[in-house]
C-alpha cells in the first residue's frame, strides 16, 4: 500500500453516503413542508384562470381589505421604527443597570400568544374594559376600529426593529458618535450622518420583517377587529371569511397576493444577506 | 444607575421606549393579570376545571411540544447540512427556510389544509394508507412544524459556522469515531443554541392560531386549541372565562421557558466554556 496524504477535511466530515442521505432529507423536507404550501396557494388561486383571480382581488370588500392592511402597516411600521431606534439608542450606546430586564421586556411579545395579546387589549380598551367608559365619554373608538388593529399590530411587531438594531449598534460602539460631537455636530446631525448610515442595512432588515408580520398578522387582529366586513377586515381576516364561505378561489387569490408579498420580502432579504452580510451578521441570531 | 456619557439623547430614547412599551405591551398585559387577580384563584380554577378547557390547554401544549421536538431534530439536521455541505439547491433551501417568517399564518393555514384535505394533493396519497392529517391532531402538528421550523435552524446555524474544525480534528486524532466526535464534542457545543431555538419555537407554537384553526377541524375536546377557545369565549362576551384561559396559557408558557432557561444555565455550568 502506497503512502498517501489524506485531505485534512476527511476526519471532520461524515461518510459520503451519510452526507448524501442528509442532503436528500433536507431537500425533501423543504419541498414538502415549505415549497408545496407556497405552490398550492398559486395553483388554487389560478384554478379558474388569472382573470377570475384578478376579479376576486378587485372586488369591493377585497379592495377595502387591501386598503386597510396597507393603512395599518403604514401607521404601525414607522411607529415601530421610531420606538425600535429609540430603544436601540438607549440600550446600545449607554451603560445602565437593568438592561437585561429591559431587553426581556422588549422581547415579551414573542412569548405571548397573539390571541392573548388581542384579549389583553380588549380588556383594556373594550366597551367593558378598564378604559371603556372613559373612551366612550370622549367618543373614541379603539376596539372594533382602526386604532385597535394598529395597537394589536404594534404589540405583535414590537421587538422586530429593536432586536435587529441592538446587536449591531452595540458592536459598533460609540467612538464614531463621540468623534462627530467633538467636531461640533449637533445631536440630530450626528444621528443623521453617523448613526443611521451605519445601521441602515440592519434597519432595512428589521423593517422588512416588521412589515411582513404587520401585513400578515391574524390572531391578535381577529380578536380586536370585530371582523366587520368592509370596515375592519384586513387581508388575512378576509381570507378566513372567504374560506369559511367556501369561496375557495377568492380566498386563495387574496392569499396569493400576500404570498407574493412574502416572496418579495424574502427576495429583498436574500439580496441584503448576500451583499451586506457583514453588516447584518451580528443581527442574525433570532 | 447610568454611567455618564458625552452622547446626548439617553433621556429621549429611554422616554420613547418606556412610553411605547407601557402603552403597547405592559398596560394591556397588566390589565389581563389584574383582572385575574380580582377574580381570585377559586373563580379562575372554576373556569379552568371544565373538561373542554382542560382538553384545549393539554392539546395546545402537547402539540407544541411534539412539533418543537420534531423541529429540534430536523432543524439541527438542516442547519448542519446548510453550513457544512455543498449541494445543488442549498441556496434554495436556505432562502425557503425564511418562508414561515414571511408568509402570513392564515395563508399557511389554508395552503396546508388544501394539501392535506382528503381530496388534496398529499391527502389523496395518504388516504389509501389509512392516514388522515387534516382535521386531526396530526394536522395541528404539521401547522406548528411549519411555523416553528426556522427558529432552531436560524439559532443553530451561526454557531455551527463558528465551530473551529480543530476540535473535531483533535477528537479524531485521539481515536474517536466520527459518531463519537459528533455526540461528545460537537453536540455539547451546540446544546445552548439548540435549547434557545427549541424555546423560541415552543413559545411561538403554543400560542399559534392562524395556521392551526383551518387544518385542525376544531372539534371541542378533541382538536380545539386553547387560543381558539379564548376567541369563542370572547365572542360569547364571557370575558372571565377568556381571561382565565389566557392567564393559564401565559403562566404555563413562562414556566416552560423558565425551565428551559434553568436547564441552559445548568448545562453551561457543566460544560464550562460554551
Amino acid at each position: 500500500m502506497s503512502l498517501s496524504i489524506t485531505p485534512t477535511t476527511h476526519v471532520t466530515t461524515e461518510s459520503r453516503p451519510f452526507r448524501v442521505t442528509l442532503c436528500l432529507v433536507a431537500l425533501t423536507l423543504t419541498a414538502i413542508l415549505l415549497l408545496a404550501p407556497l405552490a398550492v396557494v398559486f395553483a388554487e388561486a389560478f384554478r379558474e384562470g388569472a382573470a377570475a383571480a384578478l376579479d376576486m382581488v378587485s372586488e369591493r370588500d377585497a379592495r377595502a381589505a387591501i386598503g386597510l392592511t396597507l393603512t395599518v402597516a403604514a401607521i404601525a411600521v414607522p411607529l415601530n421604527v421610531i420606538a425600535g431606534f429609540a430603544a436601540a439608542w438607549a440600550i446600545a450606546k449607554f451603560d445602565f443597570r437593568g438592561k437585561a430586564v429591559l431587553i426581556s421586556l422588549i422581547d415579551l411579545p414573542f412569548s405571548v400568544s397573539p390571541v392573548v395579546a388581542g384579549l389583553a387589549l380588549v380588556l383594556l380598551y373594550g366597551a367593558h374594559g378598564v378604559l371603556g367608559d372613559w373612551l366612550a365619554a370622549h367618543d373614541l373608538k379603539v376596539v372594533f376600529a382602526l386604532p385597535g388593529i394598529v395597537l394589536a399590530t404594534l404589540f405583535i411587531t414590537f421587538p422586530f426593529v429593536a432586536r435587529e438594531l441592538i446587536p449591531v449598534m452595540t458592536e459598533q460602539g460609540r467612538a464614531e458618535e463621540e468623534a462627530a460631537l467633538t467636531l461640533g455636530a449637533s445631536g440630530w446631525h450626528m444621528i443623521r450622518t453617523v448613526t443611521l448610515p451605519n445601521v441602515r442595512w440592519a434597519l432595512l432588515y428589521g423593517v422588512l420583517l416588521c412589515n411582513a408580520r404587520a401585513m400578515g398578522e391574524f390572531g391578535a387582529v381577529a380578536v380586536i377587529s370585530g371582523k366587520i366586513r368592509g370596515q375592519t377586515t384586513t387581508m388575512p381576516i378576509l381570507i378566513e371569511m372567504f374560506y369559511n364561505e367556501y369561496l375557495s378561489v377568492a380566498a386563495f387569490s387574496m392569499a396569493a397576493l400576500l404570498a407574493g408579498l412574502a416572496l418579495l420580502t424574502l427576495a429583498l432579504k436574500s439580496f441584503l444577506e448576500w451583499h451586506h452580510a457583514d453588516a447584518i451578521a451580528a443581527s442574525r441570531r433570532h | 444607575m447610568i454611567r455618564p456619557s458625552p452622547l446626548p439623547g439617553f433621556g429621549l430614547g429611554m422616554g420613547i421606549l418606556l412610553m411605547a412599551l407601557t402603552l403597547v405591551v405592559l398596560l394591556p398585559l397588566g390589565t389581563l393579570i389584574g383582572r385575574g387577580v380580582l377574580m381570585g384563584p377559586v373563580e379562575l380554577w372554576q373556569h379552568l376545571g371544565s373538561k373542554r378547557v382542560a382538553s384545549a390547554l393539554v392539546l395546545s401544549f402537547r402539540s407544541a411540544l411534539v412539533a418543537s421536538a420534531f423541529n429540534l431534530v430536523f432543524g439541527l439536521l438542516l442547519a448542519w447540512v446548510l453550513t457544512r455541505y455543498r449541494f445543488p439547491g442549498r441556496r434554495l433551501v436556505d432562502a425557503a427556510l425564511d418562508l414561515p417568517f414571511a408568509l402570513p399564518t392564515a395563508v399557511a393555514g389554508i395552503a396546508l389544509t388544501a394539501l392535506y384535505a382528503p381530496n388534496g394533493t398529499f391527502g389523496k396519497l395518504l388516504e389509501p394508507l389509512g392516514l388522515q392529517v387534516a382535521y386531526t391532531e396530526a394536522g395541528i402538528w404539521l401547522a406548528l412544524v411549519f411555523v416553528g421550523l426556522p427558529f432552531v435552524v436560524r439559532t443553530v446555524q451561526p454557531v455551527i459556522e463558528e465551530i473551529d474544525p480543530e476540535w473535531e480534528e483533535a477528537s479524531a486524532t485521539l481515536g474517536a469515531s466520527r459518531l463519537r466526535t459528533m455526540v461528545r464534542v460537537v453536540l455539547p457545543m451546540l446544546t445552548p443554541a439548540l435549547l434557545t431555538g427549541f424555546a423560541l419555537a415552543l413559545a411561538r407554537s403554543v400560542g399559534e392560531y392562524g395556521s392551526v384553526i383551518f387544518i385542525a377541524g376544531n372539534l371541542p375536546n378533541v382538536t380545539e386549541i386553547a387560543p381558539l377557545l379564548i376567541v369563542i369565549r370572547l365572542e360569547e362576551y364571557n370575558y372571565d372565562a377568556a381571561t382565565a384561559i389566557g392567564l393559564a396559557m401565559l403562566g404555563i408558557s413562562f414556566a416552560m421557558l423558565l425551565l428551559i432557561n434553568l436547564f441552559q444555565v445548568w448545562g453551561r455550568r457543566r460544560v464550562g466554556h460554551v
Side-chain angles (χ1 to χ4, degrees), chain B residues 77-148:
Chain B
L77 184 150
L78 283 163
W80 186 260
V81 165
L82 283 175
T83 37
R84 286 295 178 96
Y85 305 160
R86 294 292 171 267
F87 61 99
R90 192 183 70 94
R91 272 196 165 175
L92 179 71
V93 174
D94 198 14
L97 271 169
D98 280 325
L99 201 61
F101 283 149
L103 196 69
T105 53
V107 177
I110 62 170
L112 289 171
T113 313
L115 281 175
Y116 287 91
N119 59 352
T121 316
F122 294 157
K124 253 187 287 193
L125 297 173
L126 294 173
E127 207 178 23
L129 307 172
L131 293 171
Q132 201 193 337
V133 175
Y135 319 124
T136 66
E137 193 176 330
I140 303 178
W141 299 345
L142 183 74
L144 297 183
V145 163
F146 176 87
V147 164

Side-chain angles (χ1 to χ4, degrees), chain A residues 72-94:
Chain A
V72 170
I75 301 171
V77 176
L79 285 176
N80 200 305
V81 169
I82 295 172
F85 185 79
W89 180 258
I91 287 173
K93 303 283 179 182
F94 297 88

Side-chain angles (χ1 to χ4, degrees), chain A residues 8-9 11-15 18-20 22-23 25-27 29-38 40-41 44 82-83 86-87 89-91 93-97 102 105-106 108-125 127-131 144 151 154-156 158 163 174 177-178 181 187-188 190 205 209 212-213 215-219 222-223 227 236 239-240 243-244 251-252 254-256 258-259 262-263 265-266 269-270 273-274 284-286, chain B residues 1-3 5-10 12-14 16-18 20-21 23-29 31-32 35 70 74 77-78 80-81 84-85 87-108 110-116 121-122 135 142 145-146 149-151 154-155 157-159 161-162 165 168-169 172 178 182 200 203-204 206-211 213-214 227-228 230-231 234-235 237 239 242-243 246-247 249-250 253-254 257:
Chain A
T8 49
T9 53
V11 295
T12 54
T13 191
E14 293 73 48
S15 70
F18 189 77
R19 290 201 313 254
V20 171
L22 285 197
C23 287
V25 171
L27 285 167
L29 269 180
T30 308
I32 294 181
L33 272 178
L34 303 171
L35 299 180
L38 186 66
V40 85
V41 169
E44 290 284 324
I82 295 172
W89 180 258
I91 287 173
K93 303 283 179 182
F94 297 88
D95 293 317
F96 57 92
R97 277 171 65 180
L102 201 55
L105 285 178
I106 292 175
L108 193 60
F110 276 144
S111 29
V112 176
S113 168
V115 169
V116 175
L119 164 70
L121 287 167
V122 169
L123 292 180
L124 181 58
Y125 297 105
H128 304 278
V130 178
L131 298 177
F144 303 160
L151 275 172
L154 282 174
F155 184 106
I156 297 300
F158 197 82
R163 266 191 84 99
R174 52 200 149 206
E177 275 88 359
E178 283 166 3
L181 287 182
W188 287 117
M190 169 200 68
Y205 198 82
L209 292 176
R213 188 69 201 260
M215 290 193 168
E217 177 48 31
F218 183 72
V223 169
K227 301 182 186 173
I239 291 177
E240 187 203 15
Y243 191 84
N244 288 342
F252 279 100
M254 211 62 179
L258 283 174
L263 284 178
T265 307
L266 291 192
K269 189 167 172 281
S270 300
E273 273 168 356
W274 291 340
R284 193 115 187 249
R285 298 160 195 246
H286 61 114
Chain B
M1 290 303 203
I2 163 178
R3 277 243 306 273
S5 157
L7 293 185
F10 177 78
L12 184 64
M14 189 57 96
I16 293 176
L17 167 61
L18 289 181
L21 194 61
L23 281 178
V24 173
V25 179
L26 299 181
L27 215 53
L29 284 182
T31 309
L32 177 70
R35 196 178 171 109
F70 179 94
F74 287 94
L77 184 150
L78 283 163
W80 186 260
V81 165
R84 286 295 178 96
Y85 305 160
F87 61 99
R90 192 183 70 94
R91 272 196 165 175
L92 179 71
V93 174
D94 198 14
L97 271 169
D98 280 325
L99 201 61
F101 283 149
L103 196 69
T105 53
V107 177
I110 62 170
L112 289 171
T113 313
L115 281 175
Y116 287 91
T121 316
F122 294 157
Y135 319 124
L142 183 74
V145 163
F146 176 87
L149 188 60
F151 287 100
R154 294 302 186 224
T155 327
Q157 227 175 342
V159 184
E161 269 165 23
E162 273 167 32
E168 291 158 69
E169 283 166 13
R178 186 62 191 157
M182 289 296 274
L200 286 171
R204 176 70 203 264
V206 163
E208 180 54 25
Y209 175 70
S211 58
I213 52 162
F214 296 99
L228 176 64
I230 295 180
V231 172
L234 272 176
E235 278 166 2
Y237 300 103
Y239 293 109
T243 303
L247 279 174
M249 286 188 68
L250 270 188
S253 295
F254 287 144
L257 293 181

Side-chain angles (χ1 to χ4, degrees), chain A residues 46-188:
Chain A
F46 295 128
R47 208 175 48 194
E48 290 167 14
L54 209 62
D55 272 357
M56 292 301 175
V57 295
S58 49
E59 170 264 343
R60 198 171 52 93
D61 287 344
R63 280 205 318 263
I66 296 169
L68 180 60
T69 294
L70 292 176
T71 310
V72 170
I75 301 171
V77 176
L79 285 176
N80 200 305
V81 169
I82 295 172
F85 185 79
W89 180 258
I91 287 173
K93 303 283 179 182
F94 297 88
D95 293 317
F96 57 92
R97 277 171 65 180
K99 211 183 251 194
V101 177
L102 201 55
I103 294 177
S104 309
L105 285 178
I106 292 175
D107 280 346
L108 193 60
F110 276 144
S111 29
V112 176
S113 168
V115 169
V116 175
L119 164 70
L121 287 167
V122 169
L123 292 180
L124 181 58
Y125 297 105
H128 304 278
V130 178
L131 298 177
D133 290 335
W134 186 86
L135 288 170
H138 292 78
D139 218 15
L140 295 168
K141 225 170 143 37
V142 175
V143 169
F144 303 160
L146 181 67
I149 302 176
V150 171
L151 275 172
T153 309
L154 282 174
F155 184 106
I156 297 300
T157 56
F158 197 82
F160 279 71
V161 172
R163 266 191 84 99
E164 297 301 329
L165 288 181
I166 290 171
V168 177
M169 283 169 71
T170 307
E171 197 156 301
Q172 284 170 351
R174 52 200 149 206
E176 288 186 37
E177 275 88 359
E178 283 166 3
L181 287 182
T182 321
L183 294 171
S186 70
W188 287 117

